[in-house]
C-alpha cells in the first residue's frame, strides 16, 4: 500500500475525539501546543450519545474542571431535564446517587463534614449527555486551533527517541507525542504493548430502546431481582444486567428482539412481550487497567487506560480527570520546561484514582449478584446507606469529593482541589483559572511571596486579596489543574515555596 505522508509535525496527536480526547486537546491548545485529533468515526452524532442512553452523571472534580476552564456554563441540559434515574417523589427524598442500585438521599447527607467546600462552590453533581459534552468540547477545541480529522482511524504507529509516526490507513502523520484516548478497545494501547490487567466480567449489560406490548407487567424504576437488574427509565428505554459472565457480550452475536425479550422475561420473572427493537448495545463489568500509562512518547488516558462497569457512572469523570492532569504537564514538556519526573507524576497521581474506581465498581457488582450471600450483604449496605454517616460517605465517594493526590507533603490541603475562595471584590478563585496558568494566592499581601513568583509570571498568576474564609491558610500555590501544591500559615516558609515552584513550574533548575 502506498502511504501519503503529511509533512507537518504536530506537538501532539490524540487518537479519538471522545470527551477525554477533546478535553485533553483543549488543555494542550490552551497552552499553545499544536494538536491533531484523529477520530475513527465520520459522524460525531449517535442516538447512544443522546438522552436517555447518553446521559452521564458528572462528579465534583469534573464540574470543577469545566468551571475552571469557563466551560460549565455551556452545559444546559441539566436545567431542562431531571436525572431519569432519580426518584423525585418528594424533594426531601431526592436521590443523590446510588451504590449497586441502592439510593442515598440528599437530605441525609451531612455536608458540614466537607470543610473545603465553601459557600459558592460548584455543584457536587449534575447530569449531562455525551452529545452535549462532546459538542461543547469540539467547539472549544476548534476555537483554540485544534485540527480534528474524522473518519481517520489510527491503525498503527512507530516511535523513535524524537518523534512518533502515526498510521491511519494509507496516510501517515508525525508528532512529538501520541496520546491514546481511543476508548476501551484502544488501538494505541494494543499497538503500544501496554499490559491491561484486571478481572473478567460477571454480567452482560444491555441499553435498549424497544416497543413493549404489555409494559404494565414491568415495575417502574430500578429493579434488582434474583437473576439480575432491569430499569425502565421511560417507556421503552430499558437497561438490564444479566449475570451470564459476559458471555453474550463476548460472543459478539447480533442483538435481536427475541434475545432481549428472553433476557427481560428471565430477569423480571414476567411473560412481557417485546415486538420491536429500535436501538440496542451491550457492555460488561470487565475491570481492567493499564499497568503503566506511558511508554516512551505514548500516553494513555480515559477508557483506553481503564475500563469497568458503568455502575454509579464514573468512567467519564475518571477520564476527564486524566486529561486535566496530563494536559499541562505534557504542554510544559513540549515547551522544554519539564523534567521526566513531571511526566511521571501523571501515572503516579492518576493510577491510584483509577484503581479506586475499579474497586468501587467491583464492590457494587459483588453485592448485585443473584445469590443469597450477595443479597444478605446488599441488605446490610442498604441499612448503612440509610444512616447519616453512611449517606455522607457514599455521596463523598460517588461525587468524588474526597478525591485528592498524595503529593508527599504534610502541609494542610496539599494535593486537594483548591476551595472556591471568594475574594473581597466578589471574584471567585475558579474564575481566575480560565487561561490554565498556575496561581499564588496571597491573602496577606506578603511582598516576599510576590517577589518569589514574579520571575514566573508567564506561568504563575500572583493574586492578592482577602477572603471571608481562608481555611487557616495565608497563602496557597495552585497548579494549573486546580490542585494545591503548597500552603502556608501566617509564617510562610519561602524555601518550601521555592521547592514547590521548582517541582511543578520551573523544571530547568
Ligand atoms: C451504559 C453506560 C453508562 C455510563 N454512564 C456513565 C456516567 O454516568 N458517568 C461517567 O462518568 N461515565 C459513564 N459511563 C462511561 C463513559 O461513557 C466512558 O468512560 C467515557 O465515554 C470514556 O470516554 P473516552 O473519551 O475515554 O472514550 P470514548 O467515549 O469511548 O471515546 C473514544 C473515541 O475514540 C474513537 N476511536 C476508537 N478507536 C479509534 C482509532 N483506532 N482511531 C481513532 N479514533 C478511535 C471512538 O470512535 C470514540 O470517538 C457510562 C458507560 C456506559 C456504557
Amino acid at each position: 500500500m502506498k502511504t501519503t505522508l503529511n509533512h507537518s509535525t504536530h506537538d501532539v496527536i490524540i487518537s479519538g475525539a471522545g470527551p477525554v480526547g477533546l478535553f485533553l486537546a483543549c488543555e494542550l491548545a490552551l497552552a499553545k501546543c499544536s494538536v491533531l485529533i484523529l477520530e475513527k468515526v465520520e459522524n460525531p452524532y449517535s442516538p447512544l450519545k443522546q438522552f436517555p442512553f447518553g446521559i452521564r452523571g458528572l462528579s465534583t472534580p469534573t464540574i470543577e474542571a469545566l468551571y475552571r476552564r469557563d466551560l460549565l456554563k455551556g452545559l444546559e441540559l441539566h436545567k431542562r431535564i431531571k436525572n431519569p434515574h432519580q426518584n423525585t417523589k418528594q424533594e426531601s427524598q431526592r436521590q443523590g446517587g446510588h451504590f449497586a442500585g441502592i439510593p442515598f438521599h440528599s437530605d441525609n447527607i451531612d455536608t458540614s463534614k466537607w470543610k473545603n467546600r465553601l459557600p459558592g462552590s460548584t455543584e457536587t453533581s449534575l447530569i449531562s449527555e455525551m452529545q452535549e459534552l462532546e459538542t461543547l468540547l469540539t467547539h472549544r477545541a476548534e476555537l483554540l486551533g485544534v485540527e480534528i480529522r474524522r473518519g481517520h482511524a489510527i491503525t498503527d504507529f512507530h516511535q523513535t527517541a524524537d518523534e512518533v509516526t502515526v498510521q491511519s490507513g494509507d496516510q501517515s502523520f508525525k508528532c512529538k507525542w501520541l496520546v491514546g484516548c481511543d476508548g476501551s478497545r484502544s488501538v494505541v494501547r494494543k499497538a503500544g504493548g501496554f499490559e491491561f490487567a484486571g478481572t473478567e466480567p460477571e454480567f452482560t449489560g444491555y441499553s435498549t430502546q424497544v416497543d413493549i406490548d404489555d409494559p404494565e407487567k414491568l415495575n417502574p424504576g430500578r429493579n434488582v431481582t434474583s437473576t439480575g437488574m432491569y430499569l425502565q427509565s421511560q417507556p421503552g428505554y430499558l437497561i438490564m444486567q444479566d449475570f451470564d459472565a459476559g458471555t453474550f457480550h463476548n460472543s459478539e452475536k447480533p442483538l435481536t428482539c427475541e434475545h432481549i425479550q428472553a433476557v427481560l422475561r428471565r430477569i423480571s420473572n414476567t411473560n412481557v412481550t417485546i415486538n420491536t427493537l429500535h436501538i440496542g448495545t451491550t457492555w460488561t463489568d470487565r475491570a481492567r487497567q493499564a499497568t503503566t500509562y506511558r511508554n516512551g512518547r505514548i500516553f494513555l488516558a480515559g477508557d483506553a487506560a481503564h475500563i469497568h462497569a458503568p455502575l454509579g457512572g464514573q468512567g467519564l469523570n475518571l477520564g476527564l480527570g486524566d486529561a486535566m492532569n496530563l494536559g499541562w504537564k505534557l504542554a510544559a514538556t513540549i515547551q522544554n520546561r519539564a523534567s521526566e519526573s513531571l511526566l511521571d507524576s501523571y501515572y503516579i497521581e492518576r493510577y491510584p484514582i483509577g484503581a479506586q474506581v475499579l474497586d468501587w465498581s467491583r464492590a457494587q457488582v459483588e453485592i448485585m449478584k443473584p445469590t443469597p450471600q450477595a443479597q444478605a450483604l446488599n441488605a446490610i449496605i442498604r441499612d448503612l446507606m440509610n444512616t447519616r454517616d453512611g449517606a455522607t460517605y457514599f455521596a463523598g465517594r460517588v461525587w468524588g469529593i474526597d478525591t485528592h493526590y498524595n503529593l508527599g507533603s504534610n502541609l494542610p490541603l496539599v494535593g486537594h482541589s483548591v476551595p472556591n475562595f471568594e475574594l473581597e471584590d466578589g471574584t471567585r478563585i475558579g474564575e481566575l483559572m480560565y487561561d490554565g496558568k498556575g496561581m499564588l494566592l496571597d491573602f496577606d499581601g506578603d511582598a516576599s511571596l510576590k517577589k518569589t513568583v514574579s520571575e514566573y509570571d508567564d506561568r504563575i498568576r500572583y493574586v492578592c486579596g482577602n477572603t471571608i474564609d481562608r481555611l487557616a491558610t495565608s497563602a496557597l500555590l495552585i497548579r494549573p489543574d486546580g490542585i494545591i501544591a503548597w500552603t502556608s500559615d501566617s509564617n510562610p516558609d519561602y524555601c518550601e515555596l521555592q521547592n514547590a515552584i521548582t517541582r511543578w513550574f520551573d523544571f530547568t533548575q
Side-chain angles (χ1 to χ4, degrees):
M1 181 170 63
K2 192 165 176 297
T3 297
T4 311
L5 176 65
N6 291 267
H7 286 285
S8 52
T9 297
H10 288 85
D11 289 327
V12 183
I13 292 182
I14 294 173
S15 168
V20 176
L22 287 165
F23 190 47
L24 177 63
C26 291
E27 284 298 284
L28 289 162
L30 188 64
K32 309 270 182 289
C33 299
S34 64
V35 185
L36 168 66
I37 302 184
L38 297 174
E39 163 57 49
K40 176 170 80 173
V41 177
E42 193 85 53
N43 182 358
Y45 301 99
S46 154
L48 286 170
K49 292 183 186 175
Q50 292 158 13
F51 180 86
F53 298 126
I55 285 292
R56 296 291 182 267
L58 304 186
S59 64
T60 306
T62 298
I63 296 167
E64 287 178 345
L66 296 173
Y67 169 64
R68 289 169 183 161
R69 295 299 183 258
D70 199 21
L71 285 160
L72 191 58
K73 56 180 180 265
L75 296 180
E76 294 281 331
L77 195 78
H78 65 100
K79 297 175 192 161
R80 297 198 301 274
I81 56 165
K82 71 180 177 70
N83 186 339
H85 301 170
Q86 274 184 353
N87 165 16
T88 52
K89 278 183 209 145
Q90 284 181 22
E91 189 58 20
S92 64
Q93 283 213 313
R94 206 164 60 83
Q95 182 177 321
H98 72 90
F99 179 81
I102 309 167
F104 57 84
H105 298 287
S106 296
D107 66 316
N108 211 8
I109 296 166
D110 181 4
T111 53
S112 69
K113 293 237 162 99
W114 302 329
K115 304 257 179 276
N116 301 351
R117 290 197 53 80
L118 301 173
S121 296
T122 53
E123 294 195 65
T124 45
S125 71
L126 57 81
I127 56 163
S128 182
E129 185 198 52
M130 287 287 277
Q131 194 80 69
E132 178 184 48
L133 199 55
E134 288 188 10
T135 305
L136 177 74
L137 294 173
T138 301
H139 184 61
R140 170 60 64 91
E142 286 173 346
L143 275 179
L144 289 167
V146 174
E147 185 184 349
I148 305 176
R149 294 203 190 193
R150 298 189 184 273
H152 279 73
I154 289 192
T155 43
D156 203 358
F157 63 83
H158 170 73
Q159 64 167 318
T160 64
D162 305 316
E163 63 178 15
V164 188
T165 306
V166 175
Q167 202 69 36
S168 172
D170 60 359
Q171 295 196 48
S172 67
F173 302 84
K174 286 200 182 293
C175 58
K176 293 182 193 144
W177 300 89
L178 169 65
V179 188
C181 298
D182 45 353
S184 56
R185 297 179 185 196
S186 171
V187 168
V188 173
R189 185 185 68 232
K190 289 173 190 161
F194 289 87
E195 189 186 343
F196 203 40
T199 48
E200 287 306 303
E202 301 281 348
F203 65 75
T204 295
Y206 297 81
S207 298
T208 65
Q209 186 196 352
V210 292
D211 289 341
I212 307 175
D213 281 350
D214 39 10
E216 69 285 353
K217 288 182 177 163
L218 298 175
N219 294 325
R222 182 185 295 266
N223 298 273
V224 177
T225 72
S226 59
T227 50
M229 186 284 291
Y230 73 93
L231 174 138
Q232 195 177 190
S233 56
Q234 49 178 288
Y237 287 86
L238 273 176
I239 295 176
M240 299 188 289
Q241 271 168 246
D242 182 23
F243 280 83
D244 68 345
T247 309
F248 182 78
H249 177 86
N250 292 340
S251 74
E252 297 188 5
K253 284 185 190 157
L255 195 53
T256 62
C257 204
E258 293 70 32
H259 177 76
I260 291 169
Q261 177 175 285
V263 174
L264 181 58
R265 284 185 172 187
R266 185 156 33 80
I267 293 177
S268 64
N269 199 21
T270 65
N271 60 355
V272 64
T273 302
I274 293 179
N275 64 51
T276 314
L277 167 64
H278 297 287
I279 303 169
T281 184
T282 62
W283 34 276
T284 72
D285 59 314
R286 176 178 286 113
R288 286 182 180 263
Q289 189 175 16
T291 53
T292 175
Y293 287 7
R294 179 185 172 195
N295 173 2
R297 296 190 159 267
I298 318 299
F299 282 93
L300 299 177
D303 277 13
H306 35 68
I307 54 165
H308 57 85
L311 302 168
Q314 306 219 339
L316 170 66
N317 293 298
L318 189 56
L320 293 174
D322 293 345
M324 189 72 167
N325 189 289
L326 177 61
W328 65 280
K329 295 175 180 174
L330 191 51
T333 308
I334 289 161
Q335 287 147 3
N336 295 321
R337 291 190 284 110
S339 65
E340 282 290 306
S341 66
L342 187 75
L343 280 185
D344 289 346
S345 73
Y346 167 57
Y347 168 77
I348 291 168
E349 291 173 10
R350 293 305 299 172
Y351 182 87
I353 306 283
Q356 275 172 21
V357 170
L358 262 66
D359 277 349
W360 189 252
S361 76
R362 288 186 183 112
Q364 293 183 75
V365 173
E366 198 56 29
I367 65 162
M368 291 178 105
K369 282 184 184 168
T371 63
Q373 292 86 345
Q375 295 308 306
L377 196 50
N378 192 300
I380 294 170
I381 299 282
R382 187 178 292 272
D383 282 350
L384 290 174
M385 286 175 73
N386 276 329
T387 65
R388 196 156 175 76
D389 280 349
T392 307
Y393 169 80
F394 281 90
R397 291 290 303 263
V398 170
W399 295 346
I401 289 171
D402 302 328
T403 305
H404 64 277
Y405 303 133
N406 179 359
L407 301 188
S409 166
N410 294 325
L411 294 172
L413 294 176
V414 167
H416 291 258
S417 175
V418 63
N420 203 16
F421 295 110
E422 181 179 7
L423 301 178
E424 277 166 331
D425 66 359
T427 312
R428 291 200 175 272
I429 292 312
E431 297 163 6
L432 297 173
M433 303 180 76
Y434 293 167
D435 61 3
K437 271 190 182 183
M439 192 189 304
L440 184 78
L441 181 55
D442 179 4
F443 295 136
D444 288 340
D446 181 320
S448 302
L449 287 179
K450 186 174 182 183
K451 186 163 180 295
T452 307
V453 291
S454 60
E455 64 177 288
Y456 307 102
D457 62 357
D458 59 333
R459 62 202 91 152
I460 303 175
R461 167 172 290 112
Y462 174 76
V463 175
C464 177
N466 206 352
T467 176
I468 300 164
D469 193 344
R470 46 166 75 183
L471 296 173
T473 59
S474 67
L476 303 95
L477 180 69
I478 303 157
R479 305 192 320 191
D481 56 357
I483 298 299
I484 298 170
W486 170 86
T487 56
S488 162
D489 56 17
S490 50
N491 275 319
D493 182 331
Y494 301 105
C495 188
E496 254 181 4
L497 171 62
Q498 186 58 61
N499 288 342
I501 291 174
T502 305
R503 180 175 176 192
W504 301 112
F505 294 97
D506 183 16
F507 323 101
T508 50
Q509 292 200 356

